Amino acid sequence: MVATSVNRCPTAPLAPDHAGTFETTLLHGLAPGLVHLERLLSLDDAPAIDDGLDPQGAQRHDRANPLWGIFGPDPRRADLSKGLELVEAIAGWLAHSVREQLAG
């Protein structure tokens, strides 16, 4: 039996995160109508308050940060056109993992 998570795919073209470019791009590849980046403040009006810090760091727990609760690269910079590529990479990896388990 295979039990895993999409963020464990070693061949994904993006590093896993929470609500950052990875999850935003993945969701756009699966259900583009659910992604509404326009609801976030613009980069010009509200740049990330990271000052070179880890984008998954403690500053993202600060409600004053425009990216509060987003742990990963700024999703406003996501290339949503890569969504299907990300879905295919993860689906292929998952299918391969299941086939290996069934064969073994």
Side-chain angles (χ1 to χ4, degrees), residues 16-22 24 40 43 46-77:
D17 61 31
H18 172 71
T21 57
F22 174 83
T24 301
L40 295 174
L43 281 165
I49 304 171
D50 289 330
D51 296 327
L53 301 172
D54 178 359
Q56 296 193 23
Q59 76 280 3
R60 295 287 179 91
H61 290 275
D62 181 352
R63 289 179 184 261
N65 191 314
L67 298 178
W68 171 61
I70 296 172
F71 300 101
D74 190 335
R76 298 173 294 182
R77 298 183 185 279

Side-chain angles (χ1 to χ4, degrees), residues 73-98:
D74 190 335
R76 298 173 294 182
R77 298 183 185 279
D79 180 355
L80 300 181
S81 70
K82 302 284 186 184
L84 286 177
E85 176 186 338
L86 183 56
V87 169
E88 289 171 0
I90 291 170
W93 164 74
L94 184 57
H96 175 76
S97 298
V98 169

